[in-house]
Amino acid sequence: MRWKKIAGVALGLVMVVAGTTACRDSRTLNLGDDGTPKIKIMVGGIEKVIYLPAMLTQQLGGFTAQGVDVELLNQPSGANAETALLAGDVQGVVGFYDHTIDLQAKEQCITSVVQMANIPGEAEVVATSKANQIHGSSDFGGKKLGITSLGSSTDFLTKALAGKAGLTSENYTPVKVGAGQTFIAALNNGGIDAGMTTDPTIAQLTNTGQGKVLYDLRTEAGTRAALGGLYPATSLYMNCEIVHRYPDVVQKLANAFVSTLRWISQHSAEEIAAKMPASFAGGDEALYIKSIKDSIGMFNADGRMDPAAAANALQVLTSYSKNVKNHKDKIDLAQTYTTAFVDFAKS
């Protein structure tokens, strides 16, 4: 009966948007010769601390324990990850929740089934050499600002920060610089004056004195001050058709991720770092541990969406995303996420 309840909730996600292109999709999951579901999940930057739960779940054996064969794929840009999902190349994405709203405005039915964080875990970092010129978003005019790619969450957030100062993307130049070493190189060689990025890149820049944090969205206070409220970030989102057809498989994924979120809440940054692949530390374990300490507070322990946070994300996107603003009448926020699976995982 409980499985029927979850299936019913999942069905509702599809029926409300039954006329959309994505909900007519006939994609199916590969169940394998032995019946084990084989799932490809693309992560929007697998080494970023904001997406740490994906690899940590694999490292802890969470997927195997649930009887699912998960392959994690890396794609530094969340915008490209969503494209892979829509194309059917992957069955899930660990990325920012705001993509579900953006895609619904394009008549695509995508829903977050596990909401791991209600703040971005990002920071706007300014080059130390430009810190005397850029004191806030009111100084963005005429500047080159780094983002992972156009249409990414870093793009949305940059527009939001600029918008709070009455500027638009026409007043500054968004520059696609990715993350990690490409971001650092761009900041150092003048390719960008400032940019939106995550840990461990933030820790590397601030530890070496190459950059300074201008807006810190790794904390609740910093996020509320910059964006007027919480802003849901790291999530597992999937195509509504997959959620509808395979609620038992989605439940297994939710169980695995919620178990990891609980584990994170009960362990130190040192213990978390010890479970991650050694390559993620980039040869500096102490700095990697610091980056986890600086960002780990972003994660919740239950995988649930804060409804007020979802509403604020819609407000931000309606104000600063042309796509969402022009199609806001198509947005049904209740269909962009569900708590049915994480509620069952807690029981």
Side-chain angles (χ1 to χ4, degrees):
M1 291 296 293
R2 300 174 80 184
W3 283 115
K4 290 181 179 179
K5 180 179 179 181
I6 290 176
V9 173
L11 177 60
L13 287 168
V14 178
M15 292 181 66
V16 173
V17 286
T20 69
T21 301
C23 291
R24 293 195 299 269
D25 200 312
S26 59
R27 285 173 229 158
T28 58
L29 292 181
N30 179 1
L31 299 181
D33 295 335
D34 61 355
T36 300
K38 296 183 181 296
I39 313 292
K40 290 183 180 180
I41 296 178
M42 186 161 280
V43 185
I46 202 164
E47 295 184 357
K48 296 177 182 178
V49 174
I50 59 172
Y51 298 140
L52 177 148
M55 180 57 73
L56 183 57
T57 300
Q58 188 173 82
Q59 294 291 100
L60 292 174
F63 298 127
T64 301
Q66 289 295 322
V68 288
D69 182 359
V70 171
E71 179 182 2
L72 298 178
L73 303 174
N74 186 32
Q75 171 49 254
S77 168
N80 292 337
E82 72 172 34
T83 298
L85 180 68
L86 294 176
D89 296 332
V90 298
Q91 290 74 52
V93 170
V94 172
F96 265 47
Y97 160 74
D98 53 18
H99 289 286
T100 69
I101 298 175
D102 182 61
L103 287 170
Q104 193 179 111
K106 299 172 182 175
E107 299 189 335
Q108 303 291 334
C109 184
I110 304 296
T111 187
S112 167
V113 295
V114 183
Q115 190 61 45
M116 305 174 217
N118 284 315
I119 58 177
E122 306 260 3
E124 183 73 18
V125 179
V126 59
T128 301
S129 62
K130 301 293 178 65
N132 63 337
Q133 303 172 27
I134 305 175
H135 304 284
S137 59
S138 59
D139 299 317
F140 283 178
K143 300 300 189 296
K144 294 173 289 186
L145 303 181
I147 57 175
T148 52
S149 68
L150 294 175
S152 67
S153 294
T154 55
D155 188 16
F156 293 151
L157 290 171
T158 301
K159 288 178 179 176
L161 292 179
K164 293 291 184 180
L167 303 178
T168 72
S169 57
E170 295 181 357
N171 299 117
Y172 65 87
T173 302
V175 182
K176 176 183 175 181
V177 292
Q181 292 307 311
T182 56
F183 183 98
I184 293 172
L187 199 70
N188 286 333
N189 65 26
I192 58 174
D193 301 303
M196 186 71 66
T197 191
T198 64
D199 277 313
T201 305
I202 300 168
Q204 291 172 334
L205 288 168
T206 56
N207 193 56
T208 59
Q210 296 169 299
K212 295 184 177 181
V213 173
L214 192 64
Y215 291 100
D216 196 340
L217 308 183
R218 296 172 297 178
T219 68
E220 180 175 331
T223 300
R224 288 185 183 279
L227 302 175
L230 299 180
Y231 192 90
T234 306
S235 68
L236 170 64
Y237 62 81
M238 306 180 77
N239 185 283
C240 291
E241 184 71 14
I242 293 291
V243 176
H244 163 54
R245 292 186 175 187
Y246 305 96
D248 55 336
V249 176
V250 177
Q251 185 62 59
K252 290 175 190 246
L253 293 172
N255 292 345
F257 276 108
V258 170
S259 177
T260 296
L261 291 171
R262 289 173 183 160
W263 193 93
I264 289 173
S265 70
Q266 297 166 359
H267 291 78
S268 67
E270 289 81 1
E271 292 171 317
I272 294 168
K275 290 292 184 180
M276 300 299 286
S279 62
F280 281 33
D284 192 334
E285 184 178 358
L287 187 62
Y288 185 56
I289 290 172
K290 179 184 185 303
S291 71
I292 293 176
K293 284 182 178 178
D294 290 344
S295 290
I296 207 66
M298 69 180 288
F299 297 115
N300 61 49
D302 58 15
R304 299 192 86 253
M305 171 67 82
D306 181 328
N312 189 57
L314 176 59
Q315 175 60 41
V316 169
L317 290 175
T318 301
S319 299
Y320 307 116
S321 166
K322 184 179 296 184
N323 173 55
V324 176
K325 181 178 181 179
N326 292 343
H327 301 93
K328 60 184 179 181
D329 57 314
K330 298 178 181 178
I331 305 297
D332 180 355
L333 200 61
Q335 303 310 312
T336 63
Y337 70 90
T338 176
T339 63
F341 298 99
V342 294
D343 287 343
F344 185 83
K346 292 194 305 178
S347 61

